[in-house]
Amino acid sequence: MNTEPIYELRERLRAAAMAGTSLLSEDFRLKRACEAFRPLEKASPVFAKVGQLAAKLTEPDCQDPQGALLDAITLVDAVICTLGTVDVAGEIEYAEVLNTEENMGSLIVNAPYSTLKELLEALTTSGSGHYGTVCDTHDHHPELFRDYRVKHALVQALGASYSELAEDVEHWLIEDDDKTILPALYKDFDPKGKKEMVRRVRVIGALAGADANDFYIKMLGEAQKDVRTELIKALRYEPGNVSLLLDLSKTEKGKNKDKVYEMLAAVQDERVKDFYRELAKKKPDNALKYLRNTTAEWAAELVADLSDDLVAKLDTAASVPEKEKQELLGRLRSVVRALFGKGGTRICECYRNLLAQKEKINALLRETWKEPKNSYEKDVLQYGALMPPQFWYKTKGMDIEASLGKFLHHSVIVNPDPALQALALELYQNGNSGKTNAKFLSAAATVKLSGDENCVDWLERQTTEKVLLISKRSGERLMAVIEAVNYIMWDRKENRYHLYGSYVDCDPEDLHAGRWNGLVYEDDFYSDYGNVERNIELPHAKELIGWLIRQEASQQLEKVLAQLAPANDEALCREIGEYFYQRILNASNNDRNRLVNYLKLCGWKDCRGLGVNVVKKDPGITMWNLYGWLISLPGSKEAIMEEMRTVCRMIKSGELKVKKLNTEELEGYMDRWYMA
């Protein structure tokens, strides 16, 4: 006997209990479940009683729908218990399992094996559609990924032939921060392996850090190629590895030697300081290359010395041969890049000294600049050292002020050094000239936003300019402020704001070799310093968000607002959500999918009118496009189905005009989506 209809009936009865009894007589899904159950009524008297109770609920003249619904649910649950099926009411829950070597103290999810089978197969085998299956399951049932069986399959998936899947799995394992998976990552580790082992090292490093130092050193003995490079990078977690790194600096070659030098640069140690001082005497450009991301105090002193040497040579830059001009330009790029993240009074003086020579530097830049071979090749001075969560704002033209403004902005994000913060405000105020310098506005705005004072009125004044005595918003200055806010994100795990950015290594030789690809980098392009995440209070978040909402809409502004939405402030999220809801109603087809994702980030649950609106604006919309739009809307499945019914009703009545759209076909696909 096929007992599946009784399980479907129970689900529909429970859904009705959550939705309320006022709509019972109109619930077509419940009616369909009753019809499917009808053949079972002949099997036994108790099944017949279940059918009678369920059918009574759908009658318009039911006298006591609440009592009848409770009786039906109680009887159905009792019948299911007699069928010998083990089941648990409610959402999927977790149960701790024994801390054995096999499962490493992980969790086992109380879910049917059939639910996990498809996911496990998608993670451990290759085939069409597997990537979509895994991603869809991760989006809608993230709890399944806590099951120890899935965890072990995730380790296998680090070697998936489909690289996008392997990269996503690496990210999920790191984000989950579950150290119980470490034994599975250590098991069968091959130091001579390929990309899978590289990803394993990255995950181990993120989860264990210095605790896995013995593992890194042991594997390093036989490691080759990219695995060896990644293990060298992992040595940075343990400060006590200085002696080992110094030894490796004498034996490693190629990119592995470069990696050793870069890892040493991050260490605050007198031996490393002496090592780099000697390197700077022999090969200053190499020293600057390796020092570009470190914030170590000794590195600031060394970079300041090299900057002073550069400034001294600028006086004769106009009269030297072309080859020397190119070498001087290369040194300038290296010095400016190495200023990033460094603090202290000497570094601040470097900024001032370089700005004092801006006429000579700009002349040198214009004279030595060569037209790029393609539109992706830009000068490194335009981009800075940090990539924000959303978009990257480059400076315009070859201008040392704009470049120093960019690197100073990124420096105050990484290093809240009081001297650097004061410098940002000083350079923005432009001395006693009475005119501010917009090229340093992003840096100054970051300093203001990082403080305790409400700076919204200040932002309003800085982005407003008078044209013929009429106040007008400056697009350039507003973009500079948005660029500063762009590095602020709400951390949903810690329930607080932080400054966030990804370190990026961007050498001129890489750019002109064609490796620059917009905002996407090859693996070697990413810095081994990872990301910067610095907590800030932002006590004036409500005022800041309100001010941003009042500005002229743009994609950049919308992205910033979405990442500022504080999940623990329902009222503020509702305010941002209302902004995105109205934007969707007026958005083009190209913008609405992006905006609906922002709407969901705000916890928005109301999808009323969003289906109707899209059909009004696009009468030629296809069934598939409308179906895809409807299932992407925020809110419960019941609310989305209600919006679909409204759309279909208006189409049938003629209120909505469409060219070719089969409402019955749409309803069928939506029903199957709802039942899934």
Side-chain angles (χ1 to χ4, degrees):
M1 181 176 63
N2 180 16
T3 58
E4 185 176 346
I6 195 169
Y7 290 97
E8 174 58 24
L9 180 60
R10 181 177 68 170
E11 292 304 310
R12 300 274 37 94
L13 290 171
R14 290 181 175 180
M18 289 186 285
T21 57
S22 60
L23 300 175
L24 273 174
S25 61
E26 300 178 9
D27 192 339
F28 67 94
R29 293 175 298 276
L30 178 58
K31 291 179 180 179
R32 186 183 299 132
C34 291
E35 292 173 1
F37 183 77
R38 192 161 293 137
L40 291 181
E41 293 179 17
K42 301 176 182 178
S44 72
V46 71
F47 277 12
K49 182 64 175 177
V50 168
Q52 293 170 10
L53 285 173
K56 183 179 180 182
L57 291 171
T58 62
E59 297 173 0
D61 58 350
C62 181
Q63 297 299 315
D64 182 17
Q66 293 88 353
L69 179 60
L70 182 60
D71 289 342
I73 291 175
T74 303
L75 182 58
V76 168
D77 282 344
V79 171
I80 287 177
C81 285
T82 67
L83 295 178
T85 300
V86 178
D87 200 0
V88 177
E91 298 294 325
I92 293 176
E93 299 175 353
Y94 316 109
E96 295 285 353
V97 296
L98 295 177
N99 187 1
T100 65
E101 183 177 342
E102 181 181 0
N103 56 56
M104 294 89 166
S106 264
L107 301 169
I108 185 167
V109 175
N110 182 24
Y113 179 72
S114 58
T115 304
L116 291 175
K117 182 180 179 183
E118 185 178 12
L119 174 59
L120 293 172
E121 287 182 353
L123 286 169
T124 56
T125 62
S126 59
S128 176
H130 283 187
Y131 178 61
T133 297
V134 174
C135 290
D136 185 65
T137 306
H138 190 269
D139 289 341
H140 295 94
H141 296 288
E143 68 278 356
L144 297 180
F145 286 73
R146 298 182 64 189
D147 189 290
Y148 81 91
R149 294 164 291 184
V150 177
K151 290 278 189 183
H152 285 251
L154 287 171
V155 173
Q156 287 182 256
L158 289 172
S161 57
Y162 195 67
S163 60
E164 284 83 353
L165 173 59
E167 289 164 5
D168 282 353
V169 167
E170 178 187 339
H171 172 72
W172 295 335
L173 287 173
I174 292 173
E175 187 180 55
D176 196 37
D177 195 25
D178 180 10
K179 294 179 175 57
T180 62
I181 199 65
L182 285 169
L185 293 164
Y186 294 140
K187 186 179 180 182
D188 300 324
F189 184 86
D190 182 6
K192 299 178 182 179
K194 297 183 179 179
K195 200 66 177 180
E196 176 186 355
M197 299 302 147
V198 172
R199 295 190 183 100
R200 283 204 195 190
V201 177
R202 285 202 286 256
V203 177
I204 291 169
L207 299 182
D211 292 340
N213 196 55
D214 290 343
F215 168 80
Y216 309 141
I217 295 174
K218 180 180 179 181
M219 293 299 110
L220 196 60
E222 298 182 23
Q224 298 177 0
K225 298 182 179 179
D226 291 343
V227 178
R228 185 171 188 83
T229 306
E230 202 64 41
L231 287 166
I232 291 172
K233 288 160 58 175
L235 295 176
R236 72 189 185 275
Y237 294 113
E238 173 53 62
N241 285 332
V242 172
S243 297
L244 174 58
L245 286 168
L246 288 171
D247 290 339
L248 289 172
S249 70
K250 302 172 184 177
T251 57
E252 295 298 316
K253 297 180 180 180
K255 67 177 182 180
N256 285 342
K257 185 173 184 176
D258 290 341
K259 205 57 61 183
V260 171
Y261 276 60
E262 188 176 352
M263 296 305 99
L264 280 169
V267 182
Q268 184 67 35
D269 189 285
E270 284 297 317
R271 292 171 293 172
V272 177
K273 177 181 177 180
D274 293 340
F275 174 84
Y276 265 99
R277 193 165 291 282
E278 288 300 314
L279 179 64
K281 291 177 182 178
K282 300 174 182 177
K283 299 180 179 180
D285 290 325
N286 282 4
L288 287 167
K289 175 183 176 181
Y290 300 130
L291 296 176
R292 54 191 168 187
N293 287 332
T294 181
T295 57
E297 293 179 8
W298 62 264
E301 296 177 18
L302 189 53
V303 170
D305 289 341
L306 293 169
S307 179
D308 291 344
D309 291 341
L310 169 71
V311 171
K313 295 177 181 178
L314 289 172
D315 288 333
T316 59
S319 58
V320 300
E322 178 65 21
K323 182 179 179 181
E324 290 186 30
K325 286 182 181 179
Q326 290 292 343
E327 291 175 353
L328 192 59
L329 177 62
R331 180 67 55 82
L332 171 68
R333 286 171 168 155
S334 298
V335 165
V336 173
R337 178 63 178 82
L339 288 174
F340 164 67
K342 315 297 186 297
T345 55
R346 281 206 65 195
I347 287 293
C348 291
E349 203 57 36
C350 290
Y351 280 93
R352 297 187 185 98
N353 291 339
L354 287 166
L355 287 170
Q357 300 284 342
K358 64 180 181 181
E359 299 299 333
K360 294 176 182 177
I361 292 174
N362 286 338
L364 178 66
L365 290 170
R366 288 192 297 270
E367 186 177 349
T368 55
W369 171 247
K370 296 180 179 180
E371 195 66 28
K373 296 177 181 178
N374 60 63
S375 60
Y376 293 139
E377 294 179 6
K378 301 291 183 182
D379 191 271
V380 65
L381 297 183
Q382 291 186 305
Y383 291 93
L386 288 180
M387 187 165 67
Q390 298 288 351
F391 66 95
W392 217 4
Y393 177 58
K394 66 178 181 292
T395 57
K396 295 180 179 179
M398 303 298 294
D399 185 333
I400 188 61
E401 277 190 307
S403 299
L404 290 175
K406 176 73 72 174
F407 283 99
L408 181 56
H409 173 210
H410 292 177
S411 292
V412 294
I413 293 173
V414 174
N415 186 357
D417 174 56
L420 275 181
Q421 293 184 341
L423 178 69
L425 297 174
E426 170 197 326
L427 296 180
Y428 173 63
Q429 294 300 330
N430 206 17
N432 298 319
S433 67
K435 294 183 179 180
T436 55
N437 189 336
K439 294 168 184 175
F440 293 94
L441 178 53
S442 292
T446 295
V447 173
K448 289 286 189 178
L449 290 164
S450 302
D452 297 330
E453 180 184 353
N454 187 338
C455 64
V456 173
D457 289 341
W458 182 86
L459 294 174
E460 173 71 18
R461 293 193 301 273
Q462 308 318 308
T463 56
T464 304
E465 57 185 2
K466 287 191 175 181
V467 180
L468 299 176
L469 301 180
I470 299 175
S471 295
K472 183 181 178 182
R473 184 73 68 207
S474 166
E476 179 187 2
R477 286 172 173 265
L478 180 60
M479 180 58 73
V481 171
I482 292 176
E483 172 75 353
V485 182
N486 194 23
Y487 287 86
I488 302 175
M489 284 191 69
W490 177 259
D491 187 330
R492 290 177 174 269
K493 288 186 177 180
E494 297 184 9
N495 275 330
R496 64 179 303 163
Y497 286 106
H498 63 204
L499 286 166
Y500 176 90
S502 300
Y503 290 91
V504 177
D505 283 342
C506 191
D507 290 334
E509 57 266 30
D510 290 326
L511 297 177
H512 291 283
R515 297 181 63 207
W516 169 252
N517 184 23
L519 302 184
V520 181
Y521 296 83
E522 295 180 17
D523 288 342
D524 292 343
F525 237 30
Y526 281 110
S527 166
D528 300 320
Y529 286 74
N531 302 323
V532 55
E533 295 186 36
R534 181 162 70 84
N535 291 331
I536 60 172
E537 294 302 322
L538 204 65
H540 45 285
K542 179 176 176 60
E543 292 81 2
L544 174 64
I545 289 170
W547 181 76
L548 289 169
I549 285 175
R550 293 192 295 273
Q551 307 310 311
E552 184 178 352
S554 67
Q555 287 193 25
Q556 293 86 351
L557 177 64
E558 290 160 357
K559 291 174 182 177
V560 163
L561 279 170
Q563 68 189 38
L564 284 178
N568 66 345
D569 190 329
E570 185 177 344
L572 194 48
C573 281
R574 192 183 310 115
E575 182 178 348
I576 303 173
E578 179 64 33
Y579 170 84
F580 286 127
Y581 183 84
Q582 295 300 325
R583 288 285 298 128
I584 291 174
L585 293 178
N586 296 287
S588 66
N589 293 342
N590 293 331
D591 290 335
R592 66 184 183 223
N593 291 329
R594 169 176 54 83
L595 290 167
V596 80
N597 289 329
Y598 296 158
L599 197 60
K600 291 177 180 178
L601 283 176
C602 301
W604 191 264
K605 302 296 184 185
D606 185 5
C607 63
R608 286 176 297 179
L610 297 180
V612 173
N613 177 263
V614 76
V615 178
K616 279 184 178 179
K617 295 173 71 173
D618 184 9
I621 191 169
T622 66
M623 189 280 296
W624 279 114
N625 285 342
L626 179 56
Y627 168 76
W629 170 246
L630 286 169
I631 66 174
S632 74
L633 294 179
S636 65
K637 281 191 170 184
E638 286 74 14
I640 293 172
M641 291 295 288
E642 183 59 35
E643 178 66 10
M644 181 272 296
R645 285 194 291 271
T646 299
V647 170
C648 292
R649 184 172 61 250
M650 292 179 70
I651 290 174
K652 292 173 182 177
S653 68
E655 294 178 74
L656 282 178
K657 304 296 183 182
V658 295
K659 294 179 180 178
K660 294 180 180 179
L661 202 153
N662 188 322
T663 55
E664 292 183 0
E665 188 178 11
L666 174 63
E667 288 174 330
Y669 276 103
M670 290 296 294
D671 282 346
R672 285 190 283 277
W673 167 78
Y674 182 86
M675 303 290 287

